[in-house]
Amino acid sequence: MSEQDPLRIEHRPNGVTVLTFDHPDRRNPMTRRLTEQWQRAVRSLREAPGLRAVVVTGTGSAFCSGADLEELADRHGQGLPGTRAQLSAFYRTWLSIHDLAVPTVAAVNGHAVGAGLALALACDLRYAAEEAKLGAPFVQLGLHPGMATTALLSEAVGLPCARELLLTGRLVSGAQAAAMGMVHEALPADQVLAAALDVADRMAAAAPLAVRLTKSGLSQGQLTVEQALTWEALAQPVTTTTDDFREGVQARREHRPPHFTGA
């Protein structure tokens, strides 16, 4: 990987992979090059048998500043059908992180704006720098929100709050984002990645199949009690047949940390 590559990939020994946007002088925009690297990276993660969690973060003052506005403006003369097709592919490429089988964590080290915020919201868990700016100011640029922001932001903060943020384009600090539920916790900037890695390590140490099935159940959205019982009556019996379940019970009896293998 060359120094110019805007995406750094680190595979840690415990099954946690860290994806780092590394174009700090431009606040880590979603350029064509970064989008191509992201697509390849997520595709490879889907096929990684030992993967247990993914952390996404950035370098410099920003997590991700969203779509490259110059590249977006270049599409102006392409006509509606071509622009629609390109943007749809762009959205789906970046939101592919949402469909990974393992838990994902956004370490929002700095500003997360527009599609950059949508990317953070597409992750299962989010931790942000207290002074970071987060928001979706699409309307202030003459744009309708994209990349499923209307759905993802509503899920995180509720529809009334999402309305206010999207219709005004207002930015909030990391601390404000935590207060409204957009992120799980706001911390000093130099502690954000460590906090995200701690959480990822904790999930990576849990039983892999149980974690994946739990994420799958949660991805179905707000279920009724009956719907949840139907899913759990399918998923929990599967986990009771695993070696990891027996290891978990034995470790509890012996008052020691369990060692899960995914079997």
Side-chain angles (χ1 to χ4, degrees), residues 69-119:
L69 294 179
E70 293 182 5
E71 292 181 1
L72 189 61
D74 287 344
R75 297 189 176 103
H76 181 70
Q78 295 179 358
L80 184 56
T83 300
R84 180 185 290 123
Q86 287 190 3
L87 285 177
S88 179
F90 175 86
Y91 300 155
R92 293 182 186 281
T93 293
W94 281 100
L95 291 178
S96 59
I97 191 77
H98 187 263
D99 299 324
L100 282 180
V102 301
T104 56
V105 186
V108 185
N109 56 292
H111 300 345
V113 180
L117 175 63
L119 176 63

Side-chain angles (χ1 to χ4, degrees), residues 24-216:
D25 56 320
R26 293 193 58 203
R27 295 192 171 188
N28 303 321
M30 294 167 164
T31 59
R32 288 188 181 93
R33 184 173 186 183
L34 179 57
T35 300
E36 291 169 358
Q37 283 191 287
W38 178 263
Q39 185 176 46
R40 290 194 298 271
V42 176
R43 185 185 297 127
S44 69
L45 291 176
R46 290 187 188 284
E47 302 168 357
L51 185 68
R52 296 199 177 187
V54 176
V55 174
V56 184
T57 193
T59 55
S61 63
F63 170 73
C64 178
S65 58
D68 186 305
L69 294 179
E70 293 182 5
E71 292 181 1
L72 189 61
D74 287 344
R75 297 189 176 103
H76 181 70
Q78 295 179 358
L80 184 56
T83 300
R84 180 185 290 123
Q86 287 190 3
L87 285 177
S88 179
F90 175 86
Y91 300 155
R92 293 182 186 281
T93 293
W94 281 100
L95 291 178
S96 59
I97 191 77
H98 187 263
D99 299 324
L100 282 180
V102 301
T104 56
V105 186
V108 185
N109 56 292
H111 300 345
V113 180
L117 175 63
L119 176 63
L121 293 171
C123 294
D124 297 305
L125 302 175
R126 295 168 293 280
Y127 298 85
E130 293 168 333
E131 300 305 319
K133 296 297 182 184
L134 297 85
F138 292 98
V139 295
Q140 300 296 336
L141 293 169
L143 288 171
H144 185 283
M147 219 168 95
T149 305
T150 50
L152 293 168
L153 188 57
S154 296
E155 179 185 30
V157 303
L159 184 56
C161 188
R163 282 197 185 106
E164 190 268 336
L165 292 172
L166 290 172
L167 291 173
T168 64
R170 180 168 71 94
L171 301 181
V172 298
S173 68
Q176 291 171 316
M180 63 178 60
M182 191 185 302
V183 301
H184 295 84
E185 186 178 0
L187 307 103
D190 60 357
Q191 298 178 22
V192 172
L193 180 57
L197 287 171
D198 283 345
V199 172
D201 290 344
R202 184 176 179 85
M203 294 187 292
L209 180 59
V211 170
R212 288 180 178 227
L213 286 173
T214 300
K215 172 169 176 169
S216 182

